[in-house]
Amino acid sequence: MTQLPTYDVCAVGNAIVDVLAPCEPAFLEAQGLVAGSMQLVDAQQSAALYAAMQAGVEASGGSAGNTVAGVGSLGGRAAYIGKVADDQLGGVFTHDITAAGVHFATPPLKDGASTGHATGVCMINVTPDAQRTMCTFLGAANQLTTADIDPAVVGASAIVYLEGYLFDPAPARAAFEAAAAAAHAAGRKVAITLSDTFVVARWRAELLAFIEASADIVLANEAELAALFETEDFDAAAARLASMVDVAAVTRGAEGSVVISGDQRVAVPAAPVDKVIDTTGAGDQYAAGLLLGLARGLSLEDSAKLGSLAASEVIAHWGPRPMTSLETLAKDAGLVLG
């Protein structure tokens, strides 16, 4: 008999501190950046971009880190596995995620700065249309290995959530395999987010193989889904993904989301927002609501509504994490977690 989980969601991801700043499209062009993309940069490129950017906001981020912070804001129980360095930004990240009520006990990387592996930083430039363009220096985040996967924490979590961005380094991919194996050995579910079209383009065959072998739940946006199956036929691609896993959830921006499980398919509209300020973290918070809903046994529709609600909160302000209690918003909307 499977024991009741200690945590609703345990996320494995890149531990990153975000630097967000407004910019005009001309700035992206001058920097040679593709609007709406995420690319990896080295320490020198990161420093040069930081110097060129406008004054902005520094906040702990990382896609999966944002998600578990959202789970905490919803009143859920969350854990996180990710690598920071033993430096100032690593301390900031650790403080922020534990302050969100998330269990975080991954040992920090010693002497990160001297080895070129300082705590990771993501430079996020946001254009007036609220679209974000990201340049990420992974640093210590890139040093996650199987040794950092705690089978006890993973096995005590209803869902282990894997961040697609971590598919780039081979040691981290091995950590994914270890986390998935530990989850399934304990009778738990494995979820993965595709994270970015460039990740999908780089690792399409490997991602498909991992999904078929190890994933129970997959989250993607419309562009990532199209890249995974190399087709613009949304319904065909969504059906293919759903045939491979228990739950397939695809976000469509202002059009909301589609969630499919077996022969059940629900389309949920985006929650209304007075003004979209910054879309950073929208997908991360959608994942928080959806996964917590699934972990607590909510219906597909209510789980997706919880995701839409969480996403609507975060796009109404700067930064990738909730600024108001998502649990209160959910109760006001009649979405009560068991």
Side-chain angles (χ1 to χ4, degrees):
M1 181 178 172
T2 303
Q3 288 187 320
L4 288 173
T6 303
Y7 305 106
D8 297 297
V9 180
C10 171
V12 183
N14 282 325
I16 302 284
V17 175
D18 291 339
V19 178
L20 300 104
C23 79
E24 295 298 324
F27 176 80
L28 300 179
E29 191 174 339
Q31 295 294 321
L33 302 176
V34 178
S37 69
M38 193 292 282
Q39 67 176 355
L40 300 178
V41 296
D42 60 26
Q44 290 73 28
Q45 291 171 310
S46 179
L49 182 59
Y50 181 81
M53 288 168 61
Q54 293 187 42
V57 176
E58 293 187 2
S60 294
S63 177
N66 296 335
T67 293
V68 286
V71 170
S73 182
L74 281 162
R77 306 175 304 258
Y80 183 74
I81 297 172
K83 205 74 168 174
V84 296
D86 190 11
D87 56 18
Q88 182 184 353
L89 285 180
V92 168
F93 183 92
T94 301
H95 170 270
D96 288 355
I97 201 161
T98 53
V102 178
H103 172 80
F104 177 51
T106 309
L109 188 69
K110 300 295 183 184
D111 303 318
S114 62
T115 58
H117 299 302
T119 295
V121 181
C122 182
M123 309 296 173
I124 305 176
N125 284 282
V126 184
T127 41
D129 62 357
Q131 186 176 56
R132 76 276 192 278
T133 302
M134 299 180 286
C135 293
T136 304
F137 166 60
L138 290 171
N142 210 16
Q143 303 302 302
L144 189 80
T145 70
T146 53
D148 295 308
I149 301 300
D150 186 340
V153 172
V154 170
S157 306
I159 298 171
V160 60
Y161 177 59
L162 308 173
E163 179 186 313
Y165 286 128
L166 260 180
F167 226 75
D168 278 303
R173 203 179 313 159
F176 266 24
E177 302 283 358
H184 285 149
R188 309 304 189 186
K189 298 291 188 182
V190 174
I192 185 170
T193 172
L194 299 186
S195 292
D196 187 90
T197 54
F198 290 95
V199 171
V200 177
R202 283 192 292 271
W203 304 109
R204 180 176 174 272
E206 292 84 352
L207 276 166
L208 282 168
F210 181 85
I211 289 168
E212 286 206 276
S214 302
D216 303 296
I217 303 163
V218 174
L219 293 93
N221 65 28
E222 206 165 356
E224 293 154 6
L225 180 72
L228 185 66
F229 294 110
E230 297 180 325
T231 177
E232 295 301 320
D233 186 332
F234 176 82
D235 289 332
R240 282 188 64 186
L241 182 60
S243 73
M244 298 167 67
V245 293
D246 293 342
V247 178
V250 186
T251 56
R252 311 187 76 178
E255 293 181 46
S257 65
V258 173
V259 185
I260 308 173
S261 180
D263 58 3
Q264 188 180 5
R265 172 180 169 137
V266 298
V268 172
V273 180
D274 289 338
K275 184 181 180 183
V276 178
I277 302 297
D278 170 24
T279 56
T280 306
D284 303 334
Q285 296 311 322
Y286 177 87
L290 179 86
L291 294 174
L292 182 57
L294 294 175
R296 294 289 183 90
L298 267 61
S299 67
L300 284 188
E301 183 172 7
D302 281 351
S303 296
K305 283 181 177 178
L306 203 60
S308 293
L309 185 75
S312 71
E313 191 281 338
V314 84
I315 64 176
H317 59 72
W318 281 88
R321 296 187 179 181
M323 288 187 174
T324 58
S325 167
L326 294 181
E327 184 177 18
T328 299
L329 293 178
K331 285 179 180 176
D332 290 346
L335 294 167
V336 180
L337 294 159

